[in-house]
Amino acid sequence: MDLYCVMGNPVEHSRSPWIHARFADLTGQALDYGRRLVPLDGFADAVAAFRADPAGQARGCNVTVPFKFEAAALSQHLSPRARLARAVNTLRFADDGVHGDNTDGAGLVADITQHAGVPLAGGELLLLGAGGAAAGVLGPLLEARPRRVVVANRTLAKAIALVRSHAALALQHGIALEAHALDAVPGQFDVVVNGTASSLAGGQVPVGAQVLKPGALAVDMMYGPAAAGFMAWARDNGAVPRDGLGMLVEQAAESFAIWRGLRPPSAQVLAELRAIVDRQ
């Protein structure tokens, strides 16, 4: 049996095993996908142990917080988007070593443009955060050709560093790319994406409602109870709230395609998962 898993800390909340099981059922693929809780100081050891698992042949894994930067360092081969992000959420094990990719941004763009039906081209976008989550999505967001992108972070230096690493891509597409502190974001935006750890930690929304254009789309990269506060804030301030469930399914579909060489029916799986979540 081909083995896959999601590694993180925490990881017990992850919907990834259910998603990949449905992908496998719907595409006729034989695989086993589980969760692995990884000690905060033990990511490399956890990957090695998984690859040595006698239960089957480990083919790859997804990586969630807080190990995406470590996963990039562990990879012998990085895709262009993973190299730009310097963060990896998808590992593929091959004869020539560990291949690292980042499917988060592709998943987010697909969810915004396809499922939410909001175009990114020509719009103004605010990305909150400058950690691994934000780094993973900034490149694909720029590839979607918005007119202006602002990265805002509590520590301004981190936002500046993330913007600098993506400056060439922004210039290539003629996009105004800026870095600001969270309490000094200029202007209003068509789309606001929360990539900070505030939702995961149960904290307050890290930016004021003045950043929202009327009817703006406000997306939290988290889902479930963790996203409830951000979504309520968006709704209360005239924005359209959206959680990260669609991004989760779409980034998983991208990972599945990398591993198995075929595209699963992500829209069907998202609808099924949304129905399950809404009943809970």
Side-chain angles (χ1 to χ4, degrees):
M1 180 68 73
D2 288 346
L3 302 181
Y4 301 90
C5 73
V6 56
M7 294 189 179
N9 188 332
V11 77
E12 64 275 1
H13 66 286
S14 176
R15 300 275 184 173
S16 293
W18 185 91
I19 293 169
H20 282 280
R22 285 299 291 143
F23 286 166
D25 288 343
L26 293 169
T27 57
Q29 296 288 298
L31 58 87
D32 181 85
Y33 188 111
R35 297 181 186 88
R36 295 212 172 194
L37 178 64
V38 176
L40 294 176
D41 61 350
F43 178 72
D45 289 341
V47 172
F50 179 56
R51 296 185 72 182
D53 193 324
Q57 180 66 52
R59 300 294 188 184
C61 68
N62 287 127
V63 181
T64 186
V65 293
F67 301 114
K68 294 182 181 183
F69 292 126
E70 289 185 59
L74 188 71
S75 302
Q76 282 95 45
H77 310 276
L78 288 173
S79 69
R81 60 190 176 187
R83 188 175 300 108
L84 181 61
R86 301 174 188 172
V88 159
N89 80 327
T90 302
L91 295 176
R92 180 174 64 86
F93 308 138
D95 291 340
D96 62 345
V98 178
H99 292 247
D101 205 335
N102 196 309
T103 67
D104 283 336
L108 177 62
V109 170
D111 185 56
I112 291 173
T113 58
Q114 297 173 26
H115 301 307
V118 174
L120 290 170
E124 298 195 55
L125 187 146
L126 172 61
L127 177 60
L128 304 176
V137 303
L138 181 54
L141 287 171
L142 293 172
E143 294 281 4
R145 309 288 183 91
R147 184 182 70 81
R148 176 181 178 233
V149 175
V150 169
V151 177
N153 192 57
R154 181 175 58 84
T155 304
L156 178 57
K158 290 184 178 180
I160 292 172
L162 184 57
V163 162
R164 283 177 176 166
S165 68
H166 288 72
L169 180 61
L171 182 63
Q172 176 186 338
H173 294 313
I175 299 167
L177 179 59
E178 308 165 21
H180 295 280
L182 286 169
D183 59 357
V185 177
Q188 293 183 312
F189 299 86
D190 303 291
V191 178
V192 176
V193 176
N194 184 23
T196 71
S198 61
S199 295
L200 192 62
Q204 294 183 335
V205 176
V207 71
Q210 73 277 0
V211 302
L212 297 167
K213 287 184 179 180
L217 178 68
V219 182
D220 198 313
M221 290 169 65
M222 300 303 297
Y223 58 92
F230 183 85
M231 292 180 69
W233 169 82
R235 190 179 299 109
D236 291 345
N237 289 285
V240 177
R242 188 167 184 85
D243 67 8
L245 206 63
M247 174 185 170
L248 176 70
V249 172
E250 289 296 341
Q251 65 81 22
E254 188 84 359
S255 295
F256 192 90
I258 290 169
W259 293 328
R260 309 303 294 185
L262 74 167
R263 199 81 183 175
S266 55
Q268 176 183 341
V269 173
L270 175 57
E272 293 174 357
L273 181 57
R274 183 72 70 186
I276 293 171
V277 171
D278 288 346
R279 289 196 300 268
Q280 293 176 344

